[in-house]
Amino acid sequence: MNNQIILTNDYECVKSELIAEFGANNLRFIERDEILLDDAKEAVREAYIAEKNLKIIVLKGDKFGIEAQNSLLLILEESPKNIAFILVAPAKNIFLPTICSRMFIKTKFNKTAPIQINLNFTRLTLMEIMQFLDEKIAAERIGEFGKTELKATISVIFRQSLAQGVKFSEKELEFIKKLAVLADLNAKAHSVLTPLLLMIERKNR
């Protein structure tokens, strides 16, 4: 994997996608309003801890200090074996040209406000699951909840669960990926959302 800069206005979405793709155990997150020199040094120290498998160091900041960026230059150019860096920020002009020239740049901007689901996933009840499913099934029947909305709902449930402190195993992450594939194949809402929500509910018993 190449070192990357990800430009985004929705860091939580990017974070959840990284966890789903690579697994929480393979990621190290350094999250600040501004990435300073000490944060960069912490990232460099982490990079030199030998790993057998890929380890991705994610630095997220609304700003990146010049000293911090300069201290990262060498390791971004010649990263240790099995180490990759991802720098996450809201705009490209935050970074020095020397940083940008060393990294692949991706953009992930949400054009619409993210969906909010008013459920507490750490105390989810069967009654709440039934009510939620009934709402989605009713919307599906009148054409207001299709494949696009179902895929977005899966993503939001996953992100909000993580944000509320729900932990997923690698096996559970794979299961969520399979549910997303089913949604993309036009599966009905109840056949995808029911097992997802029941899995989360069982984790909190």
Side-chain angles (χ1 to χ4, degrees), residues 84-128:
F85 282 86
I86 297 178
L87 310 184
V88 185
K92 182 179 177 181
N93 61 11
I94 287 171
F95 297 105
L96 297 171
T98 47
I99 291 285
C100 293
S101 67
R102 286 165 169 77
M103 307 185 76
F104 180 72
I105 300 175
K106 298 170 67 175
T107 58
K108 290 181 175 287
F109 288 101
N110 283 339
K111 296 181 180 180
T112 58
I115 299 169
Q116 291 296 318
I117 295 174
N118 296 320
L119 291 174
N120 185 333
F121 292 104
T122 63
R123 295 198 299 270
L124 194 59
T125 67
L126 293 176
M127 181 62 71
E128 288 173 328

Side-chain angles (χ1 to χ4, degrees), residues 179 182 187-195:
L179 292 178
L182 286 176
K188 294 295 185 181
H190 73 89
S191 64
V192 174
L193 296 178
T194 303

Side-chain angles (χ1 to χ4, degrees), residues 8-48:
T8 184
N9 59 353
D10 190 350
Y11 170 66
E12 290 303 322
C13 179
V14 169
K15 182 176 181 178
S16 65
E17 288 177 355
L18 291 173
I19 292 171
E21 182 174 357
F22 298 106
N25 292 335
N26 297 319
L27 294 156
R28 305 293 185 273
F29 293 97
I30 299 174
E31 303 165 340
R32 306 282 188 267
D33 291 334
E34 181 175 3
I35 297 295
L36 299 173
L37 181 59
D38 285 346
D39 304 312
K41 289 180 177 178
E42 179 185 344
V44 171
R45 285 194 297 271
E46 182 70 37
Y48 283 113

Side-chain angles (χ1 to χ4, degrees), residues 56-152:
I56 301 169
I57 301 171
V58 181
L59 291 97
K60 174 267 177 185
D62 296 328
K63 299 178 181 178
F64 278 70
I66 292 176
E67 286 186 332
Q69 293 189 60
N70 283 329
S71 73
L72 291 170
L73 284 174
L74 181 59
I75 202 163
L76 291 176
E77 189 161 1
E78 297 182 13
S79 298
K81 184 180 179 180
N82 294 329
I83 298 296
F85 282 86
I86 297 178
L87 310 184
V88 185
K92 182 179 177 181
N93 61 11
I94 287 171
F95 297 105
L96 297 171
T98 47
I99 291 285
C100 293
S101 67
R102 286 165 169 77
M103 307 185 76
F104 180 72
I105 300 175
K106 298 170 67 175
T107 58
K108 290 181 175 287
F109 288 101
N110 283 339
K111 296 181 180 180
T112 58
I115 299 169
Q116 291 296 318
I117 295 174
N118 296 320
L119 291 174
N120 185 333
F121 292 104
T122 63
R123 295 198 299 270
L124 194 59
T125 67
L126 293 176
M127 181 62 71
E128 288 173 328
I129 291 173
M130 289 176 60
Q131 291 173 344
F132 182 80
L133 290 173
D134 286 345
E135 290 175 5
K136 301 309 175 190
I137 291 169
E140 188 176 57
R141 284 174 180 162
I142 60 175
E144 294 182 355
F145 191 82
K147 179 170 73 173
T148 300
E149 290 76 18
L150 180 56
K151 291 167 61 179

